[in-house]
């Protein structure tokens, strides 16, 4: 009987040890920090648009490597954030409510969530401008600050080529065969073209990349028209987003001149 007695004593000691372990167990509440060395934002509200292979990177702060900041332009549109590039199947950082607005009104320590798949919640930028975005991956919080109107880079555009693309142009939306303009022999910043335009939209690029992800020459807003009266606004911007285009409202023969030094377009209907 003694061996059985010793076995019972050993079993009781094991149970007491297990109970002590359970009493020492500590439950961690709340979200764990999102540990990453990189953070990107993607969407038509961001400078690089919906390119998942080249999303817009945020910068980690010197004080805390898990707090990331972006300072720069945001456009009207939607956005979300990712930790890696190249996959739409990965988990994204999102607002808790789809369509949560980013605008001139500052946001402080707004909670966010992170998951893959649905619901595909995204922030909506309702006012274009220069912003400071702060994402605290340690506490799952984000803050926004509107810094002012978008500052457009005005350094002269250096290029030996310029092309038009769009259903208003002779070659349509073909990035493999866009409509070329002619560089002025006496002024390297002037490019001209004369020919027939259809009713429709158009924009211009310095060098087509075949993917539509390159920057384009665009009107300064989305409602600029080309007609027998010329062009309704003469200034243009050079950017990836927003995807504004000139809208040709009257088909006909036109003469078009782009000035890459002064960011202006001149249009005359023949």
């Amino acid at each position: 009987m003694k061996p059985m007695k010793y076995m019972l004593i050993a079993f009781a000691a094991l149970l007491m040890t297990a109970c002590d372990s359970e009493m020492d167990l500590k439950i961690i509440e709340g979200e764990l920090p999102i540990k990453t060395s990189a953070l990107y934002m993607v969407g038509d509200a961001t400078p690089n648009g919906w390119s998942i292979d080249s999303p817009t990177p945020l910068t980690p702060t010197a004080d805390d490597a898990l707090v990331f900041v972006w300072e720069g332009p945001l456009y009207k549109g939607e956005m979300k954030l990712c930790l890696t590039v190249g996959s739409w199947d990965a988990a994204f950082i999102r607002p808790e409510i789809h369509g949560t607005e980013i605008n001139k009104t500052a946001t402080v320590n707004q909670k966010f969530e992170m998951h893959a798949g649905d619901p595909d919640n995204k922030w909506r930028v309702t006012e274009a401008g220069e912003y400071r975005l702060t994402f605290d991956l340690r506490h799952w919080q984000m803050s926004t600050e509107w810094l002012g109107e978008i500052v457009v880079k005005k350094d002269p555009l250096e290029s030996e080529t310029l092309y038009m693309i769009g259903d208003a142009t002779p070659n349509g939306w073909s990035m493999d065969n866009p409509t070329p303009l002619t560089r002025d022999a006496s002024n390297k910043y002037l490019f001209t073209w004369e020919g027939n335009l259809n009713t429709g939209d158009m924009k211009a690029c310095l060098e087509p990349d075949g993917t539509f992800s390159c920057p384009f020459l665009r009107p300064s807003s989305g409602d600029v028209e080309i007609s027998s009266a010329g062009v309704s606004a003469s200034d243009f911007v050079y950017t990836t987003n927003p995807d504004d285009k000139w809208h040709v409202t009257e088909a006909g023969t036109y003469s078009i001149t782009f000035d890459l030094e002064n960011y202006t377009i001149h249009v005359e209907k023949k």
Side-chain angles (χ1 to χ4, degrees), residues 127-140:
E127 295 179 271
E130 298 281 335
Y131 283 87
R132 178 184 294 112
L133 304 182
T134 303
F135 282 83
D136 182 349
L137 304 191
R138 194 175 299 281
H139 301 101
W140 295 56

Side-chain angles (χ1 to χ4, degrees), residues 75 128 150 152 154 157 163-166 173 200-205 215-226 230-248 256 258 263-267:
Y75 309 96
I150 292 178
V152 179
K154 287 295 185 180
L157 297 173
Y163 301 88
M164 299 189 304
I165 188 170
W173 287 109
D201 294 327
M202 57 168 279
K203 53 187 177 180
C205 57
F216 283 88
L217 278 64
R218 311 174 183 273
S220 54
S221 64
D223 55 358
V224 179
E225 296 183 350
I226 291 175
V231 61
S232 59
S234 62
D235 57 323
F236 66 77
V237 295
Y238 180 61
T239 182
T240 54
N241 277 294
D243 191 20
D244 293 331
K245 311 173 192 69
W246 286 280
H247 183 62
V248 180
I256 298 178
F258 283 94
Y263 288 69
T264 58
I265 176 176
H266 176 77
V267 177

Side-chain angles (χ1 to χ4, degrees), residues 171-184:
N171 295 343
W173 287 109
S174 171
M175 281 293 273
D176 297 323
N177 186 31
T179 301
L181 288 86
T182 302
R183 192 182 191 187
D184 191 287

Side-chain angles (χ1 to χ4, degrees), residues 249-265:
T249 60
E250 298 177 46
T253 302
Y254 286 86
S255 173
I256 298 178
T257 301
F258 283 94
D259 184 341
L260 303 192
E261 182 178 21
N262 297 300
Y263 288 69
T264 58
I265 176 176

Side-chain angles (χ1 to χ4, degrees), residues 73-150:
L74 292 179
Y75 309 96
K76 290 183 179 180
E78 294 182 323
M79 58 169 280
K80 54 187 176 180
L81 290 90
C82 54
L83 310 185
T84 59
V85 304
S87 175
W88 292 111
D89 296 326
F92 282 82
I93 291 175
R94 316 167 181 273
E96 293 183 324
I97 300 174
H98 178 63
T100 297
E101 292 188 2
I102 295 175
N103 51 42
K104 292 181 180 180
T105 302
T107 299
V108 179
N109 296 336
Q110 180 187 94
K111 295 293 290 182
F112 62 73
E113 59 188 24
M114 185 174 76
H115 63 80
D118 294 325
D120 190 17
N121 294 344
K122 298 180 278 289
W123 283 278
R124 175 169 291 278
V125 178
T126 58
E127 295 179 271
E130 298 281 335
Y131 283 87
R132 178 184 294 112
L133 304 182
T134 303
F135 282 83
D136 182 349
L137 304 191
R138 194 175 299 281
H139 301 101
W140 295 56
Q141 295 176 342
M142 62 92 73
S143 301
T144 69
E145 182 182 356
W146 192 79
L147 303 178
E149 300 294 339
I150 292 178

